[in-house]
């Protein structure tokens, strides 16, 4: 058996005699780690001692979930691997939501957890949890390290696995004695992963077949997902789209991968997507999925999804192909590589009729809302987009505010929209924003959040204040778990079961935590309030009291086909 | 439909949990799963029998390949292969009936590996169907205990697995 091995370390000697914790620290530096998010604890004492005087920035979070989301926001906004650390037992279990969030959205992350001393593992020791067992389904890979000599290799393997192929979180659980012991021999730092061979370059025969189908089609649509952002393929996507005059719809994970001000842009597809995106998918004769995975929130009822289309699927993960929707032409590999190969094969076309039809749909069914006496949540998002030149890094919680942010911000560039798409994790917004701010000093980072979502991780405001990270939080404060309330209104005859909650003044909470708080209730004051927030050099919470029973439209009800959209008004 | 899949995996703690967990999480049904050593001390081979359609088989194969510690996966869908299942079965056999059971075991090329006053134990290996047939035959005497390894399989001769994208 031939082995795919490689030495990841520049230096391979001189580690014997050093403690596992010191080796750990050295390896993080070798991997280029700039910032580490986490909470200390008993099982991590040796590691924290070696981090005592480190050039790595350590960020103490209020909760390990916050640490994981910060590493996640850092990774999504920079493309680098985000790193978080938690102690054994409850520290590790608190990470789980963050790991699952990153796993569903293919985010490169390395999580370190402390474990009880190796001799005690399995004895129900104090703060022992089977961390590798608990996290196996929500990580790309995980490992339990019991010897100091194995720490270096584990770290190199973890970073390599996290960032290559379809990225994802990797967890290393390290027994306390492995970090306190000295290395008895020189460690083997060779990456030894004979079974890990991510497919990077697309098969030219498949690329040709795809190009041929595209050229033969009359009504093609590019359906673009987060894979395009991950592989940095936005520029080449733009070229392919324009050369073939192919309209592009960008999923929640891909917002900004294609400029929404471009006439070819269809914006977001799916449950709360634009009418034009959904109609175009239903009418197209060739659907070119790139780095997208046919999530049920995108496809609606799969049996009626894109019924006339030949389906091309470009994806780095072979398990995504034909998982939900049968693919006619699969192309496995990196999106950028494949689009680069495809570009010269794409024939330049006018597609007058098809683009004419698209323009008609856009005109007939634009995203829309009515203004009123109260602030409309959509209005807030639009104003934030306008006043930040559509160029801020935006994070969100989960709910109506997330969908309005997706619909109304006006996405121009990739890595601006940072949101929990696959898992739909409330509480993601604020810590993700803090992580993104650490990765992008000097850039405007705004969490557009819901009152319910923010409450789940609001403690991390203290972290923003502690490290003076000038993140902005705009709360679309509707005093409801709005998205659930909307379903209750539409499908359960307005029985608002457990979706109303008390509505504390979030601007006062911000002040109590040492951040700036602003509250606005008048539509006429909205721009001023946003400008005041943007001007302030420090963390700010802007609570905007919005129309409480506003609904997100269009909407494709669960189980319906994409063409069966509810536009939310008479058309 | 029954499918046989083999996976070469790194000989590391947690690999079995990973594979079993993947099957459970994705709702695939395992009919049998055998793990054993191979010619390479660093690798083990799992032989897994799953019941499902071709679409499911495809997903199982790809999901297995996705596990980092899995080195190589093959399914025997379009390959000629040899399969064996090993069984130990303790059959009730009073002294009067003993000869009949021994004769039956002989017909199936089984071996008697233990004899007691009221029972005897037969070792039998072969394709699944042969074992099922033997079980049918000894059922009337009374089966006291039965244990099977599940299927292991290797291809016949030098074929090449079909290349896939
Ligand atoms: C951790 C978590 N728990 C529960 C849910 C289910 N859920 C989805 S949206 C939602 C309401 C969100 O309320 P809020 O953050 O105020 O946003 P809004 O919809 O009001 O804009 C809930 C409870 C979830 N997505 N995540
Ligand atoms: Mg709300």
């Amino acid at each position: 058996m031939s082995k795919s091995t490689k030495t990841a370390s520049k230096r391979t000697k001189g580690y014997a005699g050093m403690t596992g914790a010191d080796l750990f620290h050295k390896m993080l530096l070798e991997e280029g780690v700039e910032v580490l998010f986490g909470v200390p604890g008993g099982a991590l004492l040796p590691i924290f001692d070696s981090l005592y005087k480190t050039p790595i920035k350590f960020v103490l979070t209020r909760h390990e979930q916050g640490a994981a989301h910060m590493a996640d926001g850092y990774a999504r906004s920079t493309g680098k691997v985000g790193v978080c650390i938690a102690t054994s037992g409850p520290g590790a279990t608190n990470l789980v939501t963050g790991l699952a969030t990153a796993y569903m959205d293919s985010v490169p992350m390395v999580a370190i957890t402390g474990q009880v001393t190796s001799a005690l593992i399995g004895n129900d020791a104090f703060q022992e949890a089977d961390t590798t067992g608990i996290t196996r389904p929500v990580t790309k890979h995980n490992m339990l390290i019991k010897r100091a000599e194995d720490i270096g290799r584990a770290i190199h393997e973890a970073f390599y696995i996290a960032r290559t192929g379809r990225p994802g979180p990797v967890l290393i659980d390290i027994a306390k004695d492995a970090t306190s012991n000295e290395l008895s021999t020189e460690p083997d730092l060779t990456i030894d992963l004979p079974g890990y061979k991510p497919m990077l370059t697309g098969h030219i025969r498949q690329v040709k077949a795809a190009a041929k189908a595209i050229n033969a089609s009359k009504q093609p649509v590019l359906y673009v997902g987060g894979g395009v952002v991950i592989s940095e393929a936005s520029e080449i996507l733009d070229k392919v789209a324009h050369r073939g005059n192919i309209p592009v719809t960008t999923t929640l994970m891909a917002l900004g991968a294609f400029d929404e001000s471009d006439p070819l842009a269809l914006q977001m597809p799916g449950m709360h997507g634009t009418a034009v995106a959904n109609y175009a998918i239903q009418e197209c004769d060739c659907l070119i999925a790139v780095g997208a995975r046919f999530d049920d929130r995108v496809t609606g009822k799969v049996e009626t999804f894109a019924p006339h289309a030949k389906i091309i699927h470009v994806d780095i993960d072979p398990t995504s192909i034909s998982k939900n929707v049968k693919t006619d032409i699969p192309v496995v590999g990196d999106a950028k590589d494949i689009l680069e190969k495809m570009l010269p094969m794409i024939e330049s076309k006018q597609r007058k009729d098809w683009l004419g039809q698209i323009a008609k749909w856009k005109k007939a069914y634009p995203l829309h809302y009515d203004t009123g006496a109260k602030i409309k949540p959509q209005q807030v998002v639009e104003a934030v987009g306008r006043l930040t030149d559509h160029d801020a890094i935006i994070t969100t919680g989960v709910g109506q505010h997330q969908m309005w942010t997706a619909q109304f911000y006006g996405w121009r560039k990739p890595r601006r929209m940072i949101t929990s798409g696959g898992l739909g994790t409330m509480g993601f917004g604020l810590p993700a924003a803090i992580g993104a701010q650490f990765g992008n000093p000097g850039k405007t980072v705004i969490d557009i959040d819901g009152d319910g979502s923010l409450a789940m991780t609001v403690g991390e405001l203290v972290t923003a204040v502690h490290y003076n990270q000038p993140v902005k939080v705009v709360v679309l404060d509707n005093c409801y778990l709005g998205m659930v309330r909307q379903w209750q209104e539409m499908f359960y005859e307005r029985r608002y079961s457990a979706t109303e909650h008390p509505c504390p003044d979030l601007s006062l909470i911000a002040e109590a935590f040492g951040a700036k708080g602003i509250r606005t209730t008048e539509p006429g004051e909205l721009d001023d309030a946003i400008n005041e927030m943007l001007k302030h050099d420090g963390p700010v919470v802007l609570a905007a009291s919005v129309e409480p029973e506003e609904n997100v439209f269009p909407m494709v009800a669960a189980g319906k086909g994409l063409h069966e959209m509810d536009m939310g008004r008479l058309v | 439909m029954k499918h046989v899949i083999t996976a070469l995996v790194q000989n590391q703690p947690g690999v079995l949990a990973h594979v079993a967990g993947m099957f459970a999480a994705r709702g695939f049904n395992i009919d049998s799963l055998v793990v054993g050593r191979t010619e390479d001390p660093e690798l083990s081979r799992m032989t897994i029998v799953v019941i499902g359609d071709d679409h499911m088989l495809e997903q199982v194969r790809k999901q297995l390949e996705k596990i980092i510690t899995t080195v190589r996966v093959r399914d025997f869908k379009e390959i000629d292969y040899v399969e064996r299942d090993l069984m130990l079965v303790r059959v009730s056999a009073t002294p009067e009936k003993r000869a009949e059971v021994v004769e039956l075991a002989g017909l199936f090329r089984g071996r008697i590996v233990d004899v007691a006053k009221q029972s005897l134990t037969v070792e039998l290996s072969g394709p699944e169907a042969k074992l099922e047939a033997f079980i049918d035959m000894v059922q009337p005497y009374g089966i006291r205990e039965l244990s099977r390894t599940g299927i292991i399989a290797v291809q016949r001769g030098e074929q090449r697995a079909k290349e896939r994208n």
Side-chain angles (χ1 to χ4, degrees):
Chain A
M1 171 112 329
S2 74
K3 279 190 190 152
S4 71
T5 54
K6 66 179 92 176
T7 306
S9 271
K10 293 169 200 98
R11 202 175 93 179
T12 54
K13 288 247 165 355
Y15 296 116
M18 153 185 307
T19 65
D22 284 342
L23 179 68
F24 170 87
H25 180 216
K26 282 229 151 37
M27 295 296 119
L28 290 192
L29 289 171
E30 270 198 12
E31 289 291 347
V33 177
E34 308 162 325
V35 54
L36 191 55
F37 305 94
V39 181
L44 291 176
L45 280 165
I47 283 184
F48 273 84
D49 194 48
S50 73
L51 290 174
Y52 186 57
K53 284 193 185 135
T54 174
I56 298 174
K57 174 121 193 123
F58 184 77
V59 179
L60 175 63
T61 66
R62 293 321 102 177
H63 188 292
E64 289 83 357
Q65 182 186 350
H69 291 331
M70 284 182 210
D72 183 321
Y74 172 89
R76 294 194 209 214
S77 62
T78 62
K80 298 180 204 166
V81 178
V83 190
C84 58
I85 184 163
T87 194
S88 66
T93 54
N94 272 353
L95 278 185
V96 172
T97 301
L99 292 169
T101 303
Y103 185 59
M104 287 291 268
D105 290 344
S106 309
V107 179
M109 249 166 71
V110 170
I112 313 293
T113 49
Q115 183 52 279
V116 300
T117 296
S118 55
L120 294 180
I121 292 178
N123 288 4
D124 299 325
F126 177 64
Q127 293 195 327
E128 180 182 359
D130 175 9
T131 303
T132 49
I134 292 168
T135 60
R136 190 167 292 120
V138 295
T139 52
K140 184 172 173 185
H141 188 55
N142 68 21
M143 36 198 152
L144 169 62
I145 300 301
K146 298 187 197 168
R147 297 181 338 130
E149 291 78 11
D150 295 333
I151 287 176
R153 181 187 43 76
I155 288 174
H156 288 318
E157 287 184 354
F159 277 81
Y160 176 63
I161 293 169
R163 69 171 164 250
T164 52
R166 178 177 180 173
V170 179
L171 179 138
I172 315 175
D173 195 27
I174 312 179
K176 185 175 184 181
D177 50 326
T179 58
S180 56
N181 285 347
E182 289 171 358
L183 277 77
S184 55
T185 57
E186 288 297 337
D188 182 1
L189 298 173
T190 331
I191 290 179
D192 180 19
L193 299 164
Y196 183 64
K197 303 166 211 99
M199 186 105 67
L200 298 177
T201 59
H203 200 299
I204 195 73
R205 189 187 65 218
Q206 293 301 102
V207 179
K208 276 187 188 150
K212 196 170 155 208
I214 295 168
N215 291 334
S217 71
K218 295 222 153 45
Q219 310 191 156
V221 168
L222 272 156
Y223 150 46
V224 165
V228 167
V229 177
I230 293 166
S231 85
E232 308 277 355
S234 296
E235 277 178 39
I236 187 76
L237 167 72
D238 191 75
K239 290 192 180 131
V240 170
H242 280 107
R243 185 168 183 135
N245 258 327
I246 308 168
V248 183
T249 176
T250 35
T251 69
L252 184 64
M253 303 316 300
L255 293 174
F258 191 77
D259 185 344
E260 289 188 346
S261 63
D262 191 304
L264 288 175
L266 305 176
Q267 300 181 261
M268 188 170 75
M271 181 173 272
H272 292 299
T274 59
V276 62
N278 287 343
Y279 286 144
I281 288 173
Q282 292 308 78
E283 295 294 318
C284 73
D285 61 357
C286 180
L287 186 74
I288 310 132
V290 187
R293 60 185 178 84
F294 297 85
D295 182 271
D296 54 273
R297 284 291 185 268
V298 166
T299 61
K301 188 177 173 188
V302 280
E303 293 79 14
T304 62
F305 177 74
H308 316 295
K310 182 163 248 179
I311 293 184
I312 298 168
H313 192 177
V314 175
D315 206 290
I316 200 159
D317 180 358
T319 65
S320 288
I321 308 270
S322 289
K323 184 177 63 185
N324 302 339
V325 170
K326 183 154 176 9
T327 304
D328 297 299
I329 307 175
V331 194
V332 176
D334 177 69
K336 188 175 176 186
D337 172 79
I338 290 165
L339 291 177
E340 275 169 354
K341 283 180 179 151
M342 198 183 278
L343 179 66
M345 302 177 191
I346 300 291
E347 290 165 10
S348 137
K349 296 249 159 133
Q350 289 292 315
R351 304 195 197 280
K352 274 222 173 71
D353 291 350
W354 181 226
L355 296 186
Q357 175 62 62
I358 301 264
K360 271 187 211 150
W361 281 324
K362 275 194 191 181
K363 191 140 181 281
Y365 314 107
L367 287 171
H368 165 271
Y369 63 92
D370 295 313
T371 48
K374 287 193 174 160
I375 298 175
K376 285 300 183 86
Q378 300 94 325
Q379 212 172 344
V380 181
V381 176
E382 244 174 18
V384 171
R386 182 164 35 83
L387 297 173
T388 57
D389 264 337
H390 307 277
D391 194 32
I393 295 173
I394 304 290
T395 67
T396 76
V398 170
Q400 293 182 308
H401 66 277
Q402 178 190 31
M403 292 298 109
W404 287 317
T405 303
Q407 293 177 333
F408 290 98
Y409 182 77
W411 305 100
R412 304 276 186 272
K413 293 180 188 159
R415 297 201 190 277
R416 296 302 188 277
M417 172 55 149
I418 292 173
T419 191
S420 169
L423 198 68
T425 308
M426 288 171 70
F428 177 76
L430 174 58
I434 296 171
Q437 188 76 77
F438 272 104
N440 298 270
K443 268 212 71 112
T444 304
V445 181
I446 305 175
D447 167 30
I448 302 182
D449 221 331
D451 45 321
S453 295
L454 180 62
M456 290 202 175
T457 50
V458 70
E460 301 303 345
L461 258 185
V462 183
T463 313
V465 172
H466 180 175
Y467 297 96
N468 197 27
Q469 294 298 301
V471 292
K472 314 295 186 242
V473 183
V474 176
V475 188
L476 307 187
D477 198 352
N478 54 12
C479 297
Y480 275 119
L481 298 173
M483 185 57 94
V484 183
R485 185 207 55 75
Q486 175 172 347
W487 286 54
Q488 291 171 336
E489 177 182 336
M490 294 175 71
F491 310 116
Y492 296 88
E493 295 164 330
R494 298 178 63 100
R495 289 188 295 276
Y496 291 171
S497 180
T499 44
E500 282 174 281
H501 55 188
C503 222
D505 187 339
L506 292 161
S507 66
L508 295 181
I509 291 181
E511 297 280 344
F513 280 177
K516 182 180 170 68
I518 309 172
R519 184 165 185 84
T520 179
T521 52
E522 301 303 317
E525 294 169 358
L526 188 56
D527 277 19
D528 286 348
I530 294 170
N531 278 326
E532 184 187 348
M533 169 190 85
L534 292 172
K535 270 209 316 274
H536 182 73
D537 183 24
V540 183
V541 175
L542 166 59
S545 298
V546 298
E547 177 67 51
E549 292 190 68
E550 186 73 7
N551 287 334
V552 184
F553 288 113
M555 175 163 186
V556 179
K560 289 265 167 75
L562 287 189
H563 53 287
E564 300 171 276
M565 255 170 302
D566 181 347
M567 300 291 181
R569 62 183 168 133
L570 296 175
V571 283
Chain B
M1 209 172 113
K2 183 185 106 175
H3 295 286
V4 182
I5 301 175
T6 61
L8 267 185
V9 297
Q10 280 182 282
N11 221 338
Q12 281 177 9
V15 179
L16 179 59
H18 210 146
V19 170
M22 184 279 286
F23 272 85
R26 301 214 172 251
F28 301 139
N29 260 322
I30 302 180
D31 194 57
S32 69
L33 188 156
V34 184
V35 195
R37 277 181 275 185
T38 63
E39 68 278 9
D40 182 337
E42 288 180 18
L43 299 175
S44 300
R45 179 174 274 109
M46 294 189 183
T47 309
I48 305 158
V49 177
V50 290
I51 310 289
D53 58 17
D54 284 356
H55 173 73
M56 197 208 72
L57 173 69
E58 185 76 6
Q59 268 297 315
V60 168
R61 193 176 54 74
K62 291 196 281 195
Q63 293 290 354
L64 272 172
E65 276 167 358
K66 192 169 172 174
I67 293 172
I68 307 284
T69 40
T70 302
V71 178
R72 202 171 65 212
V73 179
R74 65 195 307 195
D75 66 67
F76 287 90
K77 197 170 152 242
E78 276 148 33
I79 294 177
D80 201 9
Y81 65 95
V82 186
E83 65 164 58
R84 286 292 177 271
D85 191 352
L86 172 66
M87 170 169 75
L88 290 173
V89 54
R90 193 153 62 82
V91 184
S92 295
T94 50
E96 309 85 74
K97 296 283 181 193
R98 193 177 285 151
E100 285 177 35
V101 178
V102 170
E103 191 189 337
L104 265 177
L107 286 173
F108 280 80
R109 300 198 195 178
R111 295 202 311 145
I112 310 296
V113 289
D114 185 52
V115 184
K117 286 202 181 90
Q118 299 297 321
S119 68
L120 49 81
T121 302
V122 181
E123 171 198 314
L124 187 62
S125 82
E128 264 194 321
K130 173 178 161 186
L131 270 58
E132 301 294 343
F134 182 73
I135 293 170
D136 274 355
M137 297 301 288
V138 293
Q139 201 90 55
Y141 299 93
I143 293 175
R144 299 225 177 153
E145 198 178 344
L146 186 154
S147 185
R148 287 167 68 165
T149 58
I151 284 175
I152 55 170
V154 292
Q155 66 171 40
R156 287 185 194 272
E158 308 300 319
Q159 312 165 58
R160 284 183 65 96
K162 203 179 94 199
E163 223 185 287
R164 289 186 182 84
N165 189 326

